[in-house]
Amino acid sequence: QVQLQESGPGLVRPSETLSLTCNVSGGSISPYFWSWIRQSPGKGLEWIGYVFYSGSTYYNPSLRSRVTMSVDTSKNQFSLKLHSVTAADTAMYFCARGGGRLRYIDYWGQGTLVTVSS
Amino acid sequence: DIVLTQSPGTLSLSPGERATLSCRTSLSVSNTYLAWSQHRPGQAPRLLIYGASNRATGIPDRFSGSGSGTDFTLTISRLEPEDFAVYYCHQYGSAPLTFGQGTKVEIK
């Protein structure tokens, strides 16, 4: 059974970079797409983008200018960086499998809450 | 972006009753690239249905999906206690992937 676990700071200061890592266990990073999704308090789910196991990426145009995703196949991990954060980036962040090129989201992490505050 | 509208926002039902959840899309979803997931607090969300009507591995047959084009439905034939949760649809046929706003199924 594939399991995903997010890790990273729960508090980030405004204008800084939010950095999260997702550890994948019970399966290989290859040959899948890996997504990040967030849910702001009281709001809906927003897909941030995906990284393919090869390293290619696609980002939601709404966040494209501030997002960087990467993958480390040797560690079975993938990562998210969101630059220049504001309070509007406070959300529960989920990592997930799928979301690229006609692939549904089939496995999710439990999510990690990130608060942007000084 | 394709906008997904789920209704109702909240469904109040008793265990054993039938739940019918709707997901309507602003544009036709090609090849029924529509999925449903179940979200419970403190747990990893779980995929229920993909391709509009295909049950994911291990999903009980009381869950069924139907629909095409712009109109999709998730049906839970007889609610079990563990089915009270929030359900989201998402379309993956057109980038960016988008989600509905969710339907909460609560105990009446």
Side-chain angles (χ1 to χ4, degrees):
Chain A
Q1 176 79 347
V2 174
Q3 294 187 317
L4 293 84
Q5 180 66 58
E6 305 88 351
S7 62
L11 180 64
V12 181
R13 301 198 186 283
S15 81
E16 296 190 345
T17 296
L18 179 160
S19 295
L20 295 174
T21 297
C22 183
N23 186 67
V24 179
S25 59
S28 176
I29 281 271
S30 306
Y32 297 99
F33 293 92
W34 302 92
S35 287
W36 289 95
I37 297 158
R38 70 180 184 178
Q39 185 168 29
S40 303
K43 294 190 178 180
L45 293 161
E46 180 179 30
W47 180 72
I48 299 170
Y50 73 69
V51 57
F52 194 39
Y53 79 100
S54 64
S56 63
T57 55
Y58 179 90
Y59 306 138
N60 192 323
S62 66
L63 293 166
R64 182 170 289 159
S65 63
R66 299 194 290 130
V67 173
T68 304
M69 294 183 189
S70 60
V71 63
D72 187 334
T73 54
S74 67
K75 294 182 179 179
N76 237 34
Q77 291 178 340
F78 61 104
S79 299
L80 167 70
K81 290 187 185 298
L82 182 62
H83 309 284
S84 305
V85 297
T86 69
D89 295 310
T90 293
M92 183 74 77
Y93 285 78
F94 297 91
C95 60
R97 193 177 80 172
R101 295 186 207 161
L102 309 180
R103 292 297 304 171
Y104 47 86
I105 302 291
D106 59 357
Y107 290 100
W108 298 67
Q110 285 193 320
T112 187
L113 179 62
V114 179
T115 300
V116 179
S117 175
S118 56
Chain B
D1 299 5
I2 295 180
V3 176
L4 279 64
T5 302
Q6 291 187 241
S7 61
T10 302
L11 204 48
S12 297
L13 295 168
S14 300
E17 289 194 295
R18 181 184 189 90
T20 303
L21 289 67
S22 171
C23 176
R24 291 205 165 113
T25 62
S26 60
L27 294 172
S28 181
V29 175
S30 56
N31 293 351
T32 61
Y33 289 131
L34 192 287
W36 292 90
S37 55
Q38 179 190 65
H39 296 232
R40 293 193 287 227
Q43 296 186 21
R46 179 170 71 148
L47 173 71
L48 301 175
I49 301 287
Y50 64 92
S53 60
N54 302 288
R55 265 189 303 277
T57 304
I59 301 304
D61 60 7
R62 65 179 182 273
F63 291 93
S64 63
S66 62
S68 63
T70 61
D71 206 346
F72 299 88
T73 300
L74 174 70
T75 301
I76 311 171
S77 59
R78 296 172 312 279
L79 284 164
E80 297 287 339
E82 61 269 26
D83 299 336
F84 292 92
V86 182
Y87 293 83
Y88 290 92
C89 55
H90 72 267
Q91 69 78 25
Y92 50 97
S94 177
L97 183 154
T98 48
F99 292 90
Q101 81 279 21
T103 291
K104 181 180 182 180
V105 179
E106 65 176 22
I107 299 177
K108 186 173 181 180

